[in-house]
Amino acid sequence: MKNEIPTRFIEKLQNHFGSVIADKTLSALSLKSSISVRVNPMKPTAQFDDRQKVPWSKNGYLLPERPTFALDPLFHAGSYYVQDSSSMILEAILQKIQPAREGLYLDVCAAPGGKSTILLDYLDDEGFLIANEVDPKRNAILRENILKWGRLNAGVTSLPARKFDELECAFDLILVDAPCSGEGMFRKDSFAVSQWSENLVEQCALTQKSILAELLPTLKEGGVLIYSTCTMNPEENELQVQKLLDSGTVEPIEIDLSEFSDYLIEANVDNSVIGYYLLPGSSTGEGLFISTLKKTTVSAHEDRRKSRYSTPFQSADVEFQSAFPELPQNLVYWNLKGELHAVVQHQYIEALNLPFKMLGLPYYQMKGENVIPLHGFAMASNGLRAIELSEENSLQFLRKETISLPPNLPKGWSLVSYQNIHLGWVKIIDQRSNNYYPSWLRLRI
Ligand code: SAM
């Protein structure tokens, strides 16, 4: 049964936006929530080409209903990410302001990882993204999604926000997609409705304020701070930005999003536009607030690179190199408990002493003199040859069942793919093959 929208929330919404917009939003809350996907440009699929495009996203599509994503092998291969269309506005903002790609980016509240995948698409192979999530369970989901997206210029940490200042980090871009009271998710998540209270809004506003205050010292002069929430009240949005502006360390970045004005509602502080709302009923997706600011003062950590630590990287073992000679030469490797993770653009993090949970992607491990390729290698490298599977065989592979392969294939390691997108590794031994899909990812339906 659906929970009732709290009366006090309705009053606050009317006070904030006026009755026309509030009524439109409230009637949309009784409708079905929207469903949308963003395609991974590194692993394109044409299956959504006939769907309505998300106006502000190059690879975003609106779907009329929710398919069983789990039964699509390409979902598991990281060909697309199921993401609310409102969140995709981040893509348009990055395209408009064009922050330098040669830089260190932080997504501090990153799980499950949707906005991190947008930042990675923007960075392409340049720069480096630290995707951080403090909650251990959510961090595991973040790692899974980063793994599937297949980029090597990313690292995952699990730190409280204040740690980045203590560890003397200096970032070129910080995204704070803050924990919030979740008003924007009311029609997706009935728990958000049942747990809502003015007290929760207050608590969230305090948390947001401290996350922002803890991170501001780590943003370089000229660096970009993007603040977003999935909520619609001024306490968690305009008033947070107001406090940042009052600190005298940031200024708003003007962004011309007029081509999307039918879908956006401007957010103001002191009669200046400081951000945008995307609201159910007015936009295509769920509720979101987003504001983009520029740091105007220097970070104390900007010039202290030389005196710091060095994250240990190594080159590939010769056995791995000779097993996969087609591998690009610009990779370095980071050893996590015997698993070698391939990394690019490591210069951005070399001087930092960050405790990474995942750095680049797991590529291989050595068992004596034998090389075992790992799942990150399959997810990242779409140029390598693979055995193409049918849909049925792909699902068997993802369930970690034994799959039947064509006869007389050469013995040894091989990638398997569906519609030319890699799914994982098999090892061919005489007339059978062993399935190396990771157990923890195994499809259970
Ligand atoms: N950016 C994500 C995305 O696009 O997929 C969604 C992030 S969600 C809105 C906010 C995240 O902040 C949650 O994963 C939550 O665990 C995390 N979080 C909660 N309290 C926090 C705190 N005090 N400091 C940092 N992160 C926190």
Side-chain angles (χ1 to χ4, degrees), residues 225 241 245 249-255 269 272-275 291-296:
L225 172 65
V241 175
L245 296 173
T249 58
V250 291
E251 62 186 27
I253 300 179
E254 266 181 50
I255 307 169
V269 165
S272 303
V273 179
I274 53 89
S291 175
T292 312
L293 306 162
K294 184 159 104 181
K295 182 92 178 288
T296 52

Coordinates of all heavy atoms in Angstrom, one line a residue, residues 225 241 245 249-255 269 272-275 291-296:
L225 N 32.9 22.8 -7.5 CA 32.2 22.0 -6.5 C 30.8 21.9 -7.1 O 30.1 22.8 -7.3 CB 32.1 22.8 -5.2 CG 31.2 22.2 -4.1 CD1 31.7 20.8 -3.7 CD2 31.1 23.1 -2.9
V241 N 23.8 26.2 -0.1 CA 24.6 27.0 -1.0 C 24.8 28.4 -0.5 O 25.9 28.9 -0.6 CB 23.9 27.0 -2.4 CG1 24.7 27.9 -3.4 CG2 23.8 25.6 -3.0
L245 N 28.4 30.3 0.0 CA 28.6 31.6 -0.6 C 29.1 32.6 0.5 O 30.0 33.4 0.4 CB 27.4 32.2 -1.3 CG 27.0 31.3 -2.6 CD1 25.7 31.9 -3.1 CD2 28.1 31.3 -3.6
T249 N 34.5 31.7 0.0 CA 35.5 30.9 -0.6 C 35.0 30.3 -2.0 O 35.8 29.7 -2.7 CB 35.9 29.7 0.3 OG1 34.7 28.9 0.5 CG2 36.5 30.1 1.6
V250 N 33.7 30.5 -2.3 CA 33.2 30.0 -3.6 C 32.3 31.1 -4.2 O 31.8 32.0 -3.5 CB 32.4 28.7 -3.4 CG1 33.2 27.5 -3.0 CG2 31.2 28.9 -2.5
E251 N 32.1 30.9 -5.5 CA 31.1 31.8 -6.2 C 30.4 30.9 -7.2 O 30.9 29.8 -7.6 CB 31.8 32.9 -7.0 CG 32.8 32.4 -8.1 CD 33.6 33.5 -8.7 OE1 33.8 34.6 -8.1 OE2 34.0 33.3 -9.9
P252 N 29.1 31.2 -7.5 CA 28.3 30.4 -8.4 C 28.9 30.4 -9.8 O 29.4 31.4 -10.3 CB 26.9 31.0 -8.4 CG 27.0 32.1 -7.5 CD 28.4 32.4 -7.1
I253 N 28.8 29.3 -10.5 CA 29.2 29.3 -11.9 C 27.9 29.4 -12.8 O 26.9 28.7 -12.6 CB 29.9 27.9 -12.3 CG1 31.1 27.7 -11.5 CG2 30.2 27.9 -13.8 CD1 31.9 26.4 -11.8
E254 N 27.9 30.4 -13.6 CA 26.7 30.6 -14.5 C 26.7 29.6 -15.6 O 27.7 29.4 -16.3 CB 26.8 32.0 -15.1 CG 26.0 33.1 -14.3 CD 26.1 34.4 -15.0 OE1 25.8 34.5 -16.2 OE2 26.5 35.4 -14.3
I255 N 25.6 28.9 -15.7 CA 25.5 27.9 -16.8 C 24.2 28.2 -17.6 O 23.1 28.4 -17.0 CB 25.4 26.5 -16.2 CG1 26.5 26.2 -15.2 CG2 25.4 25.4 -17.2 CD1 26.3 25.0 -14.3
V269 N 19.4 32.4 -4.9 CA 19.9 32.9 -3.6 C 20.2 34.4 -3.8 O 20.9 34.7 -4.8 CB 21.1 32.2 -3.1 CG1 21.8 33.0 -1.9 CG2 20.8 30.8 -2.6
S272 N 20.0 35.7 -7.3 CA 20.8 35.2 -8.4 C 20.5 33.7 -8.5 O 20.2 33.0 -7.5 CB 22.3 35.3 -8.0 OG 22.6 36.6 -7.8
V273 N 20.6 33.2 -9.8 CA 20.4 31.8 -10.0 C 21.6 31.0 -9.5 O 22.8 31.3 -9.9 CB 20.2 31.5 -11.5 CG1 20.0 30.0 -11.8 CG2 19.0 32.3 -12.1
I274 N 21.4 30.1 -8.6 CA 22.6 29.3 -8.0 C 22.5 27.9 -8.4 O 23.3 27.1 -8.0 CB 22.7 29.5 -6.5 CG1 21.4 29.2 -5.8 CG2 23.2 31.0 -6.2 CD1 21.2 27.8 -5.4
G275 N 21.4 27.5 -9.0 CA 21.2 26.1 -9.3 C 19.8 25.8 -9.9 O 19.1 26.7 -10.3
S291 N 23.6 22.3 -7.9 CA 24.2 23.7 -8.0 C 25.7 23.5 -8.3 O 26.4 22.5 -7.8 CB 24.1 24.3 -6.6 OG 24.7 25.5 -6.5
T292 N 26.3 24.5 -9.0 CA 27.7 24.4 -9.4 C 28.4 25.6 -9.0 O 28.0 26.7 -9.4 CB 27.8 24.2 -11.0 OG1 26.8 23.1 -11.3 CG2 29.1 23.8 -11.4
L293 N 29.5 25.4 -8.3 CA 30.2 26.6 -7.7 C 31.7 26.5 -8.0 O 32.2 25.4 -8.3 CB 30.1 26.6 -6.2 CG 28.6 26.5 -5.6 CD1 28.6 26.1 -4.2 CD2 28.0 27.9 -5.8
K294 N 32.4 27.6 -8.0 CA 33.8 27.6 -8.2 C 34.6 28.1 -7.0 O 34.2 29.1 -6.4 CB 34.1 28.6 -9.4 CG 35.6 28.6 -9.8 CD 35.7 29.1 -11.2 CE 36.2 30.5 -11.2 NZ 36.3 31.0 -12.5
K295 N 35.7 27.5 -6.6 CA 36.4 27.9 -5.5 C 37.3 29.1 -5.8 O 37.9 29.2 -6.9 CB 37.4 26.7 -5.1 CG 38.2 27.0 -3.8 CD 37.5 26.5 -2.6 CE 38.4 26.7 -1.3 NZ 39.5 25.7 -1.3
T296 N 37.3 30.1 -4.9 CA 38.0 31.3 -5.2 C 39.2 31.5 -4.4 O 39.9 32.5 -4.5 CB 37.1 32.5 -5.0 OG1 36.5 32.4 -3.7 CG2 35.9 32.6 -6.1

